[in-house]
Amino acid sequence: MKRIVLALIINFIIITSAHAFITFNQELDVSSNTTQIRGINFKPDGTIMYVTERNGTTDNNIGRAANIIQFSLSTPFDISTAKEVSNTRVEEEVGTNLNFLPHAIEFKPDGTRLFLIANTGTLVYQFDLSTAWDTSTISFNAKYNVTGENQLRTLTFKPDGLRMYVSGTQHDKLKEYILTNPWDITTSNVTAGKTSSSLVSADDNMRNVQFNSSGTELYVGGNENNNMNKYTLSTAWDISTISSSFTAYTLGGTTFSNMRGFIFTSSFTRLYITDDDNLTNRIIEYVAACGTTITCENPKQDKNVVALLEAQFNLSKRIIKHNSLPIMHRIEWLRRHKNYDNLDNFQAEISFTDQRLAKLVDTIKPNKKRNKRPKKEDQWFKWNEGRIGIGKSKGIAGSLSRNLHSTGFAIGADKKKNDDTMYGYVFQFGTENVDIIPNLSGIFAKSYSLSMYSTTLRENHIFTDGIIGISHLDLDIRRDDNNNILEGDRYGEQIFGTFNFGKRINSENINFNPNLKIDLGYTKLGEYREENEFGTLTDVLLFEEQEIYSGFGTASLLFDKTIKHYEDRLINHSGRLEYILDFSPGSDAEFYYANNTNTRYSLNFDSDEETEHNIRVGYGFDVSSKTGWSLISNFERFYVVNNGYINEIYFSAGYVPINGTKFALDAKNNNFNSSLRVDKKIYGFNLKFDFENDLFNSSKDYLVNLSIDAKY
């Protein structure tokens, strides 16, 4: 009893079945071209298809006609576009009068030589083509006798042409032949090599075999079980190491009665089977759910899949940071250049040159809180900022490294609400380009954002800043799956907010701004489906909606120093040192193969110890002119501890009209001979007005001067 149970367990292990990974796509009826179809092959680019046939008629006692039919395909590998261009008899070249039944057909990679086997004997035939890939130019060259076999059915070669593998119905084993010269089966150049174990367990009536490109897998097909069966080799191309177990793939979508031959494309994305049921001759095209190995491997083990999903997780958080930084730069610029009494860039100063009047006015000057200057609520101030970023990320375990490139542009406008508060709006457009190293996988993302912000000065030079905004994301995603490029479009929406609390410490030499900042965000990425270049479901993954929550806490120290350059320009140097804690929760990405919706996969991405600690350092300078022009530039380096970095350059240029007015009243001597002087700066021009008069003298004498000048 124990032996029976054990045998059942072993049998279950040896023979496994895979469903729905190879599905029907289309078929081509070639009954008008042939009555007994056999082998099939393609030119590597898919523009020519070849089938072998045995015509049921006889001709001059030669026997049934053995032919190679050549088709042209206007669309590569699309059998619906096949058109016959030639039908070439080959038994006449061989010179046999036997019933020559051609089966498998193979080509030298350059198309100048082809090989045939026939199940009426034990010979492999070698032909030359005077015109590459044109079977109408065929000529017989040589043949090799496979001893110990009968009715040869399968034929294939190692890609370098130094190994030939054949099998027949005698033993159902694969035999190796070593070629001294590649692609030459002249008897003197061939030596018998290794022999595989029996393959009858897969199918005892084999019609063809095919290796994958690396020689680590062998596919066997026949008309006994009408399946596709896969063996593995522990040593590449060594048929003595073929495993005893195999996987049987059910060919779904349609059935066939009598497989005569088969061929996979080099990418293993399509399978073609010839079927002969004595009534209909047809070619059936199948598509594989997953290329290269047919079997859909666990995508969680695919480093490209993991890298792309991780990149989307981090990209969503990075876009939120990029949307808040230009706004913070704007607010910081305002703090560096003026106090909050003059956020509107309007400067008015009243001074008294006479000390007695000055002291008197000081005693009666109204409190700022009780008597504020008139608001200029209709005055909006415009600003802009551009950004260029370059960086690199190492990726987490099981992922791949990535190169990062980003650009951004912000256009904003703000105005005063009162003497202590300013608010504004900003529109931003940004791009994020992520290139997976070292293949063609990557992401190109575009973001469109609209934000509102405010800044308020409180007691003791304490300030608070706030930002709230929304974004729309447009992601173009490409995945390189063994040279099968899959692409998809994914859309997303974001909402984000920032709260900043700090204090400005002014001094004669250098100013300091210690800050504490919180950034929060929510991203919802929509579902998306990949598409391949063939328009099939091969390797195609579908990704479900994904929610990503982001959170950052920042402790920073900002400092700046202003240097006067000449009389009309100010140069302000600034720097920052920040520690950023990424406390974003994890996010689950769920996905599945389009051809296998029953098996779902999930990956969780989180800010682990290697990515949660970040440091940002920066240096910037801005040049401000009294004429209203300003140029701003910042360089910042963002470190993800032990994981990567991003270098970013921010730049801005703008113009703000400076309307500065200075009033001076001078009371001279004891006679109250007075003067009034007004200095006003308008759009780079200096306007001066002088008026002198004795306020208590009945004389009408007075002096008036008006001058306008500008410096260039």
Side-chain angles (χ1 to χ4, degrees):
M1 182 66 182
K2 291 182 178 179
R3 290 184 178 179
I4 294 175
V5 174
L6 181 60
L8 290 173
I9 293 174
I10 292 175
N11 189 59
F12 178 77
I13 295 174
I14 289 177
I15 303 174
T16 58
S17 180
H19 301 276
F21 287 112
I22 306 176
T23 58
F24 170 77
N25 188 43
Q26 61 180 333
E27 66 177 64
L28 175 67
D29 190 338
V30 290
S31 301
S32 61
N33 307 93
T34 176
T35 58
Q36 294 186 346
I37 192 170
R38 291 296 184 266
I40 184 171
N41 211 325
F42 287 84
K43 184 181 179 181
D45 65 3
T47 59
I48 303 176
M49 178 176 67
Y50 309 88
V51 298
T52 61
E53 68 148 350
R54 181 183 67 169
N55 195 298
T57 62
T58 60
D59 185 19
N60 298 325
N61 296 318
I62 294 179
R64 295 173 180 173
N67 301 331
I68 300 175
I69 307 175
Q70 180 174 319
F71 297 84
S72 66
L73 280 71
S74 57
T75 301
F77 296 109
D78 184 354
I79 60 175
S80 68
T81 66
K83 181 180 180 181
E84 182 179 332
V85 294
S86 66
N87 192 324
T88 304
R89 297 189 63 172
V90 295
E91 78 275 14
E92 294 178 342
E93 293 291 337
V94 177
T96 180
N97 60 358
L98 300 176
N99 290 335
F100 185 73
L101 276 70
H103 274 257
I105 177 173
E106 290 288 327
F107 286 86
K108 186 180 179 181
D110 63 2
T112 61
R113 180 167 288 178
L114 70 82
F115 304 85
L116 287 176
I117 58 172
N119 71 350
T120 53
T122 60
L123 296 174
V124 181
Y125 298 93
Q126 178 174 293
F127 300 85
D128 289 330
L129 282 70
S130 59
T131 300
W133 305 109
D134 185 356
T135 54
S136 67
T137 65
I138 194 173
S139 62
F140 175 70
N141 179 277
K143 59 186 176 182
Y144 181 79
N145 187 18
V146 180
T147 60
E149 277 291 352
N150 66 1
Q151 294 191 4
L152 298 182
R153 296 293 179 83
T154 73
L155 172 67
T156 191
F157 288 82
K158 189 179 178 183
D160 61 6
L162 293 175
R163 295 288 190 275
M164 177 176 70
Y165 306 90
V166 298
S167 69
T169 60
Q170 184 71 27
H171 303 288
D172 290 303
K173 297 179 179 179
L174 199 62
K175 294 184 177 180
E176 174 193 64
Y177 293 89
I178 303 170
L179 280 59
T180 304
N181 298 315
W183 305 103
D184 185 0
I185 63 170
T186 305
T187 302
S188 61
N189 292 324
V190 182
T191 305
K194 299 177 180 179
T195 301
S196 76
S197 58
S198 177
L199 305 177
V200 70
S201 57
D203 199 301
D204 62 2
N205 195 2
M206 292 187 294
R207 292 300 185 176
N208 203 10
V209 297
Q210 186 176 346
F211 289 93
N212 67 348
S213 59
S214 62
T216 58
E217 295 174 348
L218 176 69
Y219 294 89
V220 179
N223 63 2
E224 184 68 26
N225 297 321
N226 288 332
N227 291 329
M228 188 55 58
N229 309 288
K230 182 181 73 174
Y231 290 89
T232 60
L233 288 76
S234 57
T235 302
W237 303 108
D238 186 348
I239 59 176
S240 68
T241 68
I242 294 177
S243 62
S244 59
S245 63
F246 68 94
T247 302
Y249 295 94
T250 301
L251 304 179
T254 190
T255 58
F256 50 87
S257 59
N258 193 9
M259 178 191 292
R260 293 296 188 176
F262 76 85
I263 188 73
F264 283 100
T265 58
S266 59
S267 62
F268 277 75
T269 56
R270 297 192 186 191
L271 167 67
Y272 301 87
I273 292 176
T274 56
D275 182 31
D276 169 20
D277 63 359
N278 293 321
L279 296 175
T280 304
N281 289 264
R282 58 180 179 162
I283 303 170
I284 307 173
E285 177 185 311
Y286 296 85
V287 294
C290 302
T292 307
T293 62
I294 298 179
T295 307
C296 288
E297 305 291 343
N298 187 343
K300 296 170 60 175
Q301 307 301 319
D302 188 327
K303 292 185 176 181
N304 276 294
V305 174
V306 177
L308 286 171
L309 289 173
E310 183 192 12
Q312 293 175 63
F313 173 69
N314 290 326
L315 182 146
S316 300
K317 299 189 295 181
R318 193 161 58 250
I319 290 176
I320 288 176
K321 290 189 293 183
H322 284 160
N323 284 333
S324 66
L325 286 178
I327 300 173
M328 295 306 303
H329 289 160
R330 165 65 175 176
I331 295 173
E332 292 164 5
W333 183 87
L334 292 172
R335 273 197 286 269
R336 289 197 301 268
H337 286 80
K338 60 189 65 68
N339 60 41
Y340 278 75
D341 294 332
N342 295 298
L343 284 176
D344 60 356
N345 293 297
F346 180 86
Q347 298 182 2
E349 179 184 350
I350 300 177
S351 65
F352 297 87
T353 59
D354 184 87
Q355 295 299 314
R356 293 170 297 174
L357 288 179
K359 184 177 292 187
L360 175 63
V361 172
D362 284 341
T363 60
I364 61 173
K365 183 182 291 185
N367 185 279
K368 182 190 75 167
K369 298 288 184 182
R370 297 196 305 265
N371 188 14
K372 300 177 181 179
R373 269 196 323 274
K375 302 177 183 179
K376 300 185 74 70
E377 297 189 358
D378 60 339
Q379 190 169 5
W380 286 90
F381 298 93
K382 305 171 186 62
W383 60 275
N384 60 79
E385 183 169 276
R387 167 179 54 84
I388 298 176
I390 300 174
K392 188 172 184 175
S393 175
K394 295 181 180 179
I396 62 176
S399 182
L400 296 170
S401 298
R402 301 179 288 277
N403 288 327
L404 310 175
H405 307 272
S406 66
T407 62
F409 187 75
I411 302 176
D414 44 39
K415 66 184 284 186
K416 286 185 63 178
K417 181 179 180 180
N418 52 50
D419 286 338
D420 298 326
T421 302
M422 173 171 274
Y423 70 96
Y425 303 90
V426 59
F427 170 79
Q428 299 184 70
F429 171 76
T431 66
E432 301 281 341
N433 196 21
V434 182
D435 294 321
I436 308 298
I437 304 171
N439 53 45
L440 299 177
S441 300
I443 302 172
F444 179 73
K446 294 179 289 186
S447 64
Y448 308 84
S449 306
L450 182 64
S451 307
M452 178 180 179
Y453 61 93
S454 69
T455 179
T456 301
L457 177 66
R458 305 186 184 277
E459 299 290 340
N460 299 319
H461 300 284
I462 294 174
F463 54 81
T464 56
D465 310 317
I467 303 171
I468 187 169
I470 57 175
S471 296
H472 172 75
L473 309 183
D474 183 356
L475 283 65
D476 295 329
I477 306 169
R478 63 186 184 280
R479 179 166 65 92
D480 185 351
D481 186 65
N482 297 297
N483 296 321
N484 181 23
I485 304 300
L486 299 113
E487 298 179 327
D489 296 325
R490 193 173 202 180
Y491 302 97
E493 309 296 334
Q494 290 183 324
I495 184 170
F496 55 90
T498 297
F499 177 77
N500 185 51
F501 173 85
K503 181 175 182 177
R504 183 163 177 84
I505 304 173
N506 298 316
S507 69
E508 294 184 0
N509 296 321
I510 192 167
N511 304 310
F512 296 93
N513 285 7
N515 295 265
L516 292 174
K517 182 160 66 79
I518 296 291
D519 294 280
L520 301 174
Y522 168 77
T523 304
K524 184 177 182 180
L525 297 177
E527 64 181 18
Y528 82 99
R529 167 177 171 161
E530 296 177 324
E531 301 287 345
N532 62 31
E533 57 184 326
F534 306 109
T536 68
L537 298 181
T538 303
D539 295 320
V540 169
L541 288 170
L542 279 73
F543 296 83
E544 301 279 15
E545 289 184 350
Q546 183 178 357
E547 294 183 331
I548 301 171
Y549 295 88
S550 61
F552 299 90
T554 303
S556 62
L557 178 63
L558 282 60
F559 50 91
D560 62 87
K561 180 179 178 62
T562 302
I563 301 175
K564 189 173 183 180
H565 187 69
Y566 299 110
E567 294 183 358
D568 59 346
R569 265 170 284 174
L570 294 176
I571 299 179
N572 193 294
H573 299 269
S574 61
R576 69 176 64 245
L577 176 62
E578 297 180 341
Y579 167 76
I580 304 168
L581 175 65
D582 185 350
F583 57 86
S584 306
S587 176
D588 292 322
E590 298 182 351
F591 47 100
Y592 56 92
Y593 283 106
N595 270 356
N596 185 22
T597 60
N598 294 324
T599 304
R600 303 289 174 121
Y601 306 92
S602 179
L603 281 172
N604 179 267
F605 296 94
D606 199 354
S607 302
D608 55 25
E609 294 182 357
E610 294 185 351
T611 60
E612 67 181 10
H613 302 289
N614 307 274
I615 296 174
R616 187 169 70 172
V617 296
Y619 164 77
F621 69 91
D622 56 76
V623 180
S624 301
S625 170
K626 291 183 179 181
T627 61
W629 290 101
S630 61
L631 298 173
I632 305 169
S633 180
N634 291 285
F635 171 81
E636 296 177 3
R637 185 177 180 96
F638 185 89
Y639 293 93
V640 181
V641 178
N642 298 321
N643 190 261
Y645 66 90
I646 300 175
N647 293 326
E648 294 181 315
I649 298 176
Y650 296 82
F651 52 89
S652 176
Y655 176 77
V656 177
I658 306 295
N659 301 318
T661 304
K662 182 176 181 180
F663 302 89
L665 180 63
D666 185 13
K668 299 179 180 180
N669 303 320
N670 294 322
N671 297 324
F672 291 95
N673 186 22
S674 62
S675 64
L676 175 66
R677 298 189 304 275
V678 179
D679 294 339
K680 188 175 182 63
K681 299 175 181 177
I682 303 177
Y683 300 101
F685 293 92
N686 297 326
L687 185 148
K688 296 182 179 180
F689 176 81
D690 295 316
F691 177 84
E692 293 187 6
N693 188 28
D694 188 347
L695 298 178
F696 296 94
N697 193 325
S698 60
S699 174
K700 303 298 182 183
D701 295 336
Y702 55 86
L703 177 63
V704 178
N705 292 312
L706 177 66
S707 66
I708 301 176
D709 64 81
K711 295 182 179 180
Y712 298 95

